[in-house]
């Protein structure tokens, strides 16, 4: 039944999320600053705390892994240096408590791990300082997706000050915080912000040229020679640049395009494969987002899609609310207040399903917003059609 395929990919793993490229393209400036901020570590001095921010898929995690690898390799030439780094993704850790427990357990051997509940927070911090002290030298703690810990952020205050507060003596710690959420930094307590964001680097979205360079390099390792039609990479780069400027998105699109060609048993990847792959990825992304929305989130999206179908978008929130009310009535759901629906519009915008356009009427009207679908109407329709609570509703 199974047979190895050998026409399209030489190594598709190269296009996957966890592949670490040997070199990062188009990030010279960011890497230069990042490297300079890490210089005290090589000098055996107290590390700076560094904060990286930018949207998803713009190379923050890759840049951190890349530089830390080099840092650790290059540190080997100095006998007086001992560098330990602990990488912690906060994605599933929604409080300081959970992050602290995770860090303790990372530093302990498996049989000494502590459970994730049952200790007072201070005790967990004390254990953490003990472990860090025991490791000694320079300890770099990378808190990726740090915004996920939300407002329960005491660890961001505790850790950077552990040395100043006398909890650490031997060990020098440095925090590298990474966030996809621009608002997170502003929401921090000013004291936390001063210490945690001592040095900052912003990663901007990639443009189509950047993405072409990234994809070209990666494609050389992933595909057999001459398998990609010449328009494939530029098209993947252009689509991803138009959307979020994310390298991850561009790489996913390139992989899906190749995968389609493979499934269709063609020998080359063509422009049509990219377009079809884009539709499929978009649909999957919307379906994924819809799973996390409440019924009223679905109804709000339904209302915007309904207006889009009638060519009545972009639309202001009041118009969308009226539409929403009649749809909710029709489907026998009690409508929510306009404020709640407004919150759903914001959420849908954040998820990348809606666009929010700003209009400025000057003094007379002030600033207001209009919303429209940021994804294909057909795709939204087919995704909504699969939502059980909307059964029987047709756009
Ligand atoms: P972020 O952490 O900002 O969300 P990642 O670092 O995970 O983004 O990057 C997403 C994907 O794109 C990874 O597979 C990464 O290897 C790749 N990537 C991002 N930036 C570059 C770059 N400048 N050069 C090569 N590959 C990159
Ligand atoms: Mg990341």
């Amino acid at each position: 039944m199974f047979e190895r395929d050998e026409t399209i990919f030489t190594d598709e793993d190269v296009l996957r999320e966890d592949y670490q490229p040997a070199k990062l393209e188009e990030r010279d400036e960011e890497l230069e600053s990042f490297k300079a901020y890490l210089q005290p570590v090589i000098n055996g001095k107290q590390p700076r705390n560094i904060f990286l921010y930018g949207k998803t898929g713009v190379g923050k995690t890759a840049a951190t892994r890349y530089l830390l690898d080099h840092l650790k390799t290059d540190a080997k030439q100095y006998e007086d240096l001992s560098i330990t780094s602990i990488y912690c993704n906060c994605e599933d850790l929604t409080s300081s408590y959970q992050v602290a427990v995770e860090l303790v357990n990372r530093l302990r051997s498996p049989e000494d791990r502590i459970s994730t509940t049952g200790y007072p927070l201070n005790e967990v911090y004390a254990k953490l300082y003990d472990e860090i002290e025991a490791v000694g030298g320079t300890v770099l703690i990378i808190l990726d997706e740090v915004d996920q810990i939300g407002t329960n952020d005491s660890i961001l205050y505790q850790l950077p000050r552990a040395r100043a507060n006398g909890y650490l003596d031997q060990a020098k710690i440095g925090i590298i915080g990474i966030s996809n959420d621009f608002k997170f930094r502003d929401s921090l307590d000013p004291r936390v912000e001063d210490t945690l964001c001592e040095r900052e680097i912003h990663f901007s979205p990639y443009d189509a040229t950047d993405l072409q360079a990234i994809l070209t390099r990666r494609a050389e390792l992933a595909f057999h020679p001459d398998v990609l039609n010449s328009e494939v990479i530029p098209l993947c780069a252009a689509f991803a640049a138009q959307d979020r400027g994310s390298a991850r998105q561009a790489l996913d699109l390139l992989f899906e395009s190749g995968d389609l060609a493979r499934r269709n048993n063609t020998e080359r990847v063509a422009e049509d494969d990219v377009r079809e792959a884009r539709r499929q990825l978009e649909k999957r992304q919307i379906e994924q987002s819809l799973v996390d929305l409440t019924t009223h989130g679905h109804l709000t999206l339904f209302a915007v899609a309904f207006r889009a179908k009638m060519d009545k978008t972009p639309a202001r929130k009041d118009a969308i609310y009226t539409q929403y009310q009649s749809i909710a009535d029709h489907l026998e759901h009690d409508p929510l207040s306009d404020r709640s629906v407004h919150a759903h519009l914001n959420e849908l915008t954040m998820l990348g399903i809606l666009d929010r356009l700003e209009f400025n009427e000057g003094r007379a009207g002030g600033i207001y917003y209009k919303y429209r679908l940021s994804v294909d109407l057909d795709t939204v329709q087919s995704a909504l059609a699969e939502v059980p609570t909307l059964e029987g509703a047709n756009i």
Side-chain angles (χ1 to χ4, degrees), residues 2-14:
F2 289 100
E3 208 180 322
R4 247 182 215 173
D5 63 75
E6 279 165 350
T7 45
I8 302 282
F9 293 107
T10 39
D11 184 0
E12 62 190 78
D13 286 350
V14 169

mmCIF file with all atom_site columns, all heavy atoms in Angstrom, residues 2-14:
data_model
loop_
_atom_site.group_PDB
_atom_site.id
_atom_site.type_symbol
_atom_site.label_atom_id
_atom_site.label_alt_id
_atom_site.label_comp_id
_atom_site.label_asym_id
_atom_site.label_entity_id
_atom_site.label_seq_id
_atom_site.pdbx_PDB_ins_code
_atom_site.Cartn_x
_atom_site.Cartn_y
_atom_site.Cartn_z
_atom_site.occupancy
_atom_site.B_iso_or_equiv
_atom_site.pdbx_formal_charge
_atom_site.auth_seq_id
_atom_site.auth_comp_id
_atom_site.auth_asym_id
_atom_site.auth_atom_id
_atom_site.pdbx_PDB_model_num
ATOM 1   N N   . PHE A 1 2  ? 1.891  1.266  0.827  1.00 0.00 ? 2  PHE A N   1
ATOM 2   C CA  . PHE A 1 2  ? 2.720  2.457  0.927  1.00 0.00 ? 2  PHE A CA  1
ATOM 3   C C   . PHE A 1 2  ? 3.997  2.327  0.113  1.00 0.00 ? 2  PHE A C   1
ATOM 4   O O   . PHE A 1 2  ? 4.572  1.256  0.015  1.00 0.00 ? 2  PHE A O   1
ATOM 5   C CB  . PHE A 1 2  ? 3.105  2.707  2.397  1.00 0.00 ? 2  PHE A CB  1
ATOM 6   C CG  . PHE A 1 2  ? 1.953  3.154  3.225  1.00 0.00 ? 2  PHE A CG  1
ATOM 7   C CD1 . PHE A 1 2  ? 1.272  2.255  4.035  1.00 0.00 ? 2  PHE A CD1 1
ATOM 8   C CD2 . PHE A 1 2  ? 1.553  4.490  3.209  1.00 0.00 ? 2  PHE A CD2 1
ATOM 9   C CE1 . PHE A 1 2  ? 0.203  2.675  4.807  1.00 0.00 ? 2  PHE A CE1 1
ATOM 10  C CE2 . PHE A 1 2  ? 0.489  4.916  3.984  1.00 0.00 ? 2  PHE A CE2 1
ATOM 11  C CZ  . PHE A 1 2  ? -0.189 3.999  4.786  1.00 0.00 ? 2  PHE A CZ  1
ATOM 12  N N   . GLU A 1 3  ? 4.389  3.459  -0.398 1.00 0.00 ? 3  GLU A N   1
ATOM 13  C CA  . GLU A 1 3  ? 5.624  3.478  -1.160 1.00 0.00 ? 3  GLU A CA  1
ATOM 14  C C   . GLU A 1 3  ? 6.255  4.847  -0.953 1.00 0.00 ? 3  GLU A C   1
ATOM 15  O O   . GLU A 1 3  ? 5.543  5.849  -0.856 1.00 0.00 ? 3  GLU A O   1
ATOM 16  C CB  . GLU A 1 3  ? 5.281  3.287  -2.636 1.00 0.00 ? 3  GLU A CB  1
ATOM 17  C CG  . GLU A 1 3  ? 6.358  2.638  -3.450 1.00 0.00 ? 3  GLU A CG  1
ATOM 18  C CD  . GLU A 1 3  ? 5.893  2.514  -4.899 1.00 0.00 ? 3  GLU A CD  1
ATOM 19  O OE1 . GLU A 1 3  ? 4.697  2.228  -5.114 1.00 0.00 ? 3  GLU A OE1 1
ATOM 20  O OE2 . GLU A 1 3  ? 6.720  2.742  -5.782 1.00 0.00 ? 3  GLU A OE2 1
ATOM 21  N N   . ARG A 1 4  ? 7.536  4.897  -0.862 1.00 0.00 ? 4  ARG A N   1
ATOM 22  C CA  . ARG A 1 4  ? 8.182  6.192  -0.690 1.00 0.00 ? 4  ARG A CA  1
ATOM 23  C C   . ARG A 1 4  ? 8.015  7.042  -1.930 1.00 0.00 ? 4  ARG A C   1
ATOM 24  O O   . ARG A 1 4  ? 8.224  6.578  -3.037 1.00 0.00 ? 4  ARG A O   1
ATOM 25  C CB  . ARG A 1 4  ? 9.665  5.998  -0.437 1.00 0.00 ? 4  ARG A CB  1
ATOM 26  C CG  . ARG A 1 4  ? 9.982  6.411  0.949  1.00 0.00 ? 4  ARG A CG  1
ATOM 27  C CD  . ARG A 1 4  ? 11.411 6.320  1.294  1.00 0.00 ? 4  ARG A CD  1
ATOM 28  N NE  . ARG A 1 4  ? 11.441 5.921  2.683  1.00 0.00 ? 4  ARG A NE  1
ATOM 29  C CZ  . ARG A 1 4  ? 12.515 5.601  3.353  1.00 0.00 ? 4  ARG A CZ  1
ATOM 30  N NH1 . ARG A 1 4  ? 13.671 5.599  2.738  1.00 0.00 ? 4  ARG A NH1 1
ATOM 31  N NH2 . ARG A 1 4  ? 12.436 5.265  4.601  1.00 0.00 ? 4  ARG A NH2 1
ATOM 32  N N   . ASP A 1 5  ? 7.633  8.321  -1.745 1.00 0.00 ? 5  ASP A N   1
ATOM 33  C CA  . ASP A 1 5  ? 7.550  9.158  -2.935 1.00 0.00 ? 5  ASP A CA  1
ATOM 34  C C   . ASP A 1 5  ? 8.836  9.949  -3.060 1.00 0.00 ? 5  ASP A C   1
ATOM 35  O O   . ASP A 1 5  ? 9.442  10.346 -2.079 1.00 0.00 ? 5  ASP A O   1
ATOM 36  C CB  . ASP A 1 5  ? 6.338  10.076 -2.866 1.00 0.00 ? 5  ASP A CB  1
ATOM 37  C CG  . ASP A 1 5  ? 6.411  11.042 -1.730 1.00 0.00 ? 5  ASP A CG  1
ATOM 38  O OD1 . ASP A 1 5  ? 7.181  12.006 -1.846 1.00 0.00 ? 5  ASP A OD1 1
ATOM 39  O OD2 . ASP A 1 5  ? 5.714  10.834 -0.724 1.00 0.00 ? 5  ASP A OD2 1
ATOM 40  N N   . GLU A 1 6  ? 9.264  10.117 -4.278 1.00 0.00 ? 6  GLU A N   1
ATOM 41  C CA  . GLU A 1 6  ? 10.580 10.727 -4.462 1.00 0.00 ? 6  GLU A CA  1
ATOM 42  C C   . GLU A 1 6  ? 10.593 11.820 -5.518 1.00 0.00 ? 6  GLU A C   1
ATOM 43  O O   . GLU A 1 6  ? 11.644 12.215 -5.980 1.00 0.00 ? 6  GLU A O   1
ATOM 44  C CB  . GLU A 1 6  ? 11.602 9.638  -4.813 1.00 0.00 ? 6  GLU A CB  1
ATOM 45  C CG  . GLU A 1 6  ? 12.062 8.946  -3.563 1.00 0.00 ? 6  GLU A CG  1
ATOM 46  C CD  . GLU A 1 6  ? 12.789 7.645  -3.795 1.00 0.00 ? 6  GLU A CD  1
ATOM 47  O OE1 . GLU A 1 6  ? 12.787 7.153  -4.939 1.00 0.00 ? 6  GLU A OE1 1
ATOM 48  O OE2 . GLU A 1 6  ? 13.342 7.132  -2.826 1.00 0.00 ? 6  GLU A OE2 1
ATOM 49  N N   . THR A 1 7  ? 9.395  12.281 -5.872 1.00 0.00 ? 7  THR A N   1
ATOM 50  C CA  . THR A 1 7  ? 9.405  13.248 -6.967 1.00 0.00 ? 7  THR A CA  1
ATOM 51  C C   . THR A 1 7  ? 9.486  14.694 -6.491 1.00 0.00 ? 7  THR A C   1
ATOM 52  O O   . THR A 1 7  ? 10.197 15.502 -7.060 1.00 0.00 ? 7  THR A O   1
ATOM 53  C CB  . THR A 1 7  ? 8.151  13.105 -7.846 1.00 0.00 ? 7  THR A CB  1
ATOM 54  O OG1 . THR A 1 7  ? 7.028  12.980 -6.988 1.00 0.00 ? 7  THR A OG1 1
ATOM 55  C CG2 . THR A 1 7  ? 8.258  11.921 -8.771 1.00 0.00 ? 7  THR A CG2 1
ATOM 56  N N   . ILE A 1 8  ? 8.726  15.040 -5.439 1.00 0.00 ? 8  ILE A N   1
ATOM 57  C CA  . ILE A 1 8  ? 8.610  16.458 -5.078 1.00 0.00 ? 8  ILE A CA  1
ATOM 58  C C   . ILE A 1 8  ? 9.626  16.866 -4.000 1.00 0.00 ? 8  ILE A C   1
ATOM 59  O O   . ILE A 1 8  ? 10.497 17.691 -4.234 1.00 0.00 ? 8  ILE A O   1
ATOM 60  C CB  . ILE A 1 8  ? 7.172  16.771 -4.594 1.00 0.00 ? 8  ILE A CB  1
ATOM 61  C CG1 . ILE A 1 8  ? 6.146  16.418 -5.679 1.00 0.00 ? 8  ILE A CG1 1
ATOM 62  C CG2 . ILE A 1 8  ? 7.058  18.233 -4.182 1.00 0.00 ? 8  ILE A CG2 1
ATOM 63  C CD1 . ILE A 1 8  ? 6.021  17.396 -6.801 1.00 0.00 ? 8  ILE A CD1 1
ATOM 64  N N   . PHE A 1 9  ? 9.486  16.269 -2.820 1.00 0.00 ? 9  PHE A N   1
ATOM 65  C CA  . PHE A 1 9  ? 10.325 16.714 -1.703 1.00 0.00 ? 9  PHE A CA  1
ATOM 66  C C   . PHE A 1 9  ? 11.592 15.867 -1.565 1.00 0.00 ? 9  PHE A C   1
ATOM 67  O O   . PHE A 1 9  ? 11.540 14.646 -1.675 1.00 0.00 ? 9  PHE A O   1
ATOM 68  C CB  . PHE A 1 9  ? 9.566  16.572 -0.378 1.00 0.00 ? 9  PHE A CB  1
ATOM 69  C CG  . PHE A 1 9  ? 8.389  17.489 -0.240 1.00 0.00 ? 9  PHE A CG  1
ATOM 70  C CD1 . PHE A 1 9  ? 7.092  16.991 -0.327 1.00 0.00 ? 9  PHE A CD1 1
ATOM 71  C CD2 . PHE A 1 9  ? 8.570  18.847 0.008  1.00 0.00 ? 9  PHE A CD2 1
ATOM 72  C CE1 . PHE A 1 9  ? 5.994  17.830 -0.169 1.00 0.00 ? 9  PHE A CE1 1
ATOM 73  C CE2 . PHE A 1 9  ? 7.475  19.687 0.161  1.00 0.00 ? 9  PHE A CE2 1
ATOM 74  C CZ  . PHE A 1 9  ? 6.187  19.178 0.067  1.00 0.00 ? 9  PHE A CZ  1
ATOM 75  N N   . THR A 1 10 ? 12.700 16.542 -1.263 1.00 0.00 ? 10 THR A N   1
ATOM 76  C CA  . THR A 1 10 ? 13.863 15.795 -0.775 1.00 0.00 ? 10 THR A CA  1
ATOM 77  C C   . THR A 1 10 ? 13.761 15.659 0.740  1.00 0.00 ? 10 THR A C   1
ATOM 78  O O   . THR A 1 10 ? 14.078 14.613 1.297  1.00 0.00 ? 10 THR A O   1
ATOM 79  C CB  . THR A 1 10 ? 15.206 16.488 -1.103 1.00 0.00 ? 10 THR A CB  1
ATOM 80  O OG1 . THR A 1 10 ? 15.030 17.890 -0.940 1.00 0.00 ? 10 THR A OG1 1
ATOM 81  C CG2 . THR A 1 10 ? 15.656 16.158 -2.489 1.00 0.00 ? 10 THR A CG2 1
ATOM 82  N N   . ASP A 1 11 ? 13.338 16.763 1.408  1.00 0.00 ? 11 ASP A N   1
ATOM 83  C CA  . ASP A 1 11 ? 13.183 16.715 2.851  1.00 0.00 ? 11 ASP A CA  1
ATOM 84  C C   . ASP A 1 11 ? 12.136 17.729 3.299  1.00 0.00 ? 11 ASP A C   1
ATOM 85  O O   . ASP A 1 11 ? 12.436 18.894 3.525  1.00 0.00 ? 11 ASP A O   1
ATOM 86  C CB  . ASP A 1 11 ? 14.530 17.011 3.528  1.00 0.00 ? 11 ASP A CB  1
ATOM 87  C CG  . ASP A 1 11 ? 14.432 16.883 5.038  1.00 0.00 ? 11 ASP A CG  1
ATOM 88  O OD1 . ASP A 1 11 ? 13.336 16.575 5.551  1.00 0.00 ? 11 ASP A OD1 1
ATOM 89  O OD2 . ASP A 1 11 ? 15.456 17.104 5.715  1.00 0.00 ? 11 ASP A OD2 1
ATOM 90  N N   . GLU A 1 12 ? 10.905 17.263 3.440  1.00 0.00 ? 12 GLU A N   1
ATOM 91  C CA  . GLU A 1 12 ? 9.839  18.190 3.773  1.00 0.00 ? 12 GLU A CA  1
ATOM 92  C C   . GLU A 1 12 ? 9.961  18.731 5.196  1.00 0.00 ? 12 GLU A C   1
ATOM 93  O O   . GLU A 1 12 ? 9.415  19.792 5.511  1.00 0.00 ? 12 GLU A O   1
ATOM 94  C CB  . GLU A 1 12 ? 8.475  17.520 3.567  1.00 0.00 ? 12 GLU A CB  1
ATOM 95  C CG  . GLU A 1 12 ? 8.252  16.314 4.456  1.00 0.00 ? 12 GLU A CG  1
ATOM 96  C CD  . GLU A 1 12 ? 6.996  15.537 4.066  1.00 0.00 ? 12 GLU A CD  1
ATOM 97  O OE1 . GLU A 1 12 ? 7.077  14.788 3.070  1.00 0.00 ? 12 GLU A OE1 1
ATOM 98  O OE2 . GLU A 1 12 ? 5.984  15.698 4.738  1.00 0.00 ? 12 GLU A OE2 1
ATOM 99  N N   . ASP A 1 13 ? 10.692 18.033 6.056  1.00 0.00 ? 13 ASP A N   1
ATOM 100 C CA  . ASP A 1 13 ? 10.855 18.512 7.438  1.00 0.00 ? 13 ASP A CA  1
ATOM 101 C C   . ASP A 1 13 ? 11.496 19.897 7.510  1.00 0.00 ? 13 ASP A C   1
ATOM 102 O O   . ASP A 1 13 ? 11.299 20.624 8.480  1.00 0.00 ? 13 ASP A O   1
ATOM 103 C CB  . ASP A 1 13 ? 11.713 17.533 8.253  1.00 0.00 ? 13 ASP A CB  1
ATOM 104 C CG  . ASP A 1 13 ? 10.940 16.275 8.607  1.00 0.00 ? 13 ASP A CG  1
ATOM 105 O OD1 . ASP A 1 13 ? 9.708  16.260 8.391  1.00 0.00 ? 13 ASP A OD1 1
ATOM 106 O OD2 . ASP A 1 13 ? 11.565 15.315 9.090  1.00 0.00 ? 13 ASP A OD2 1
ATOM 107 N N   . VAL A 1 14 ? 12.246 20.221 6.472  1.00 0.00 ? 14 VAL A N   1
ATOM 108 C CA  . VAL A 1 14 ? 12.890 21.532 6.427  1.00 0.00 ? 14 VAL A CA  1
ATOM 109 C C   . VAL A 1 14 ? 11.863 22.672 6.427  1.00 0.00 ? 14 VAL A C   1
ATOM 110 O O   . VAL A 1 14 ? 12.159 23.803 6.791  1.00 0.00 ? 14 VAL A O   1
ATOM 111 C CB  . VAL A 1 14 ? 13.782 21.595 5.155  1.00 0.00 ? 14 VAL A CB  1
ATOM 112 C CG1 . VAL A 1 14 ? 14.274 22.996 4.875  1.00 0.00 ? 14 VAL A CG1 1
ATOM 113 C CG2 . VAL A 1 14 ? 14.950 20.647 5.301  1.00 0.00 ? 14 VAL A CG2 1
#
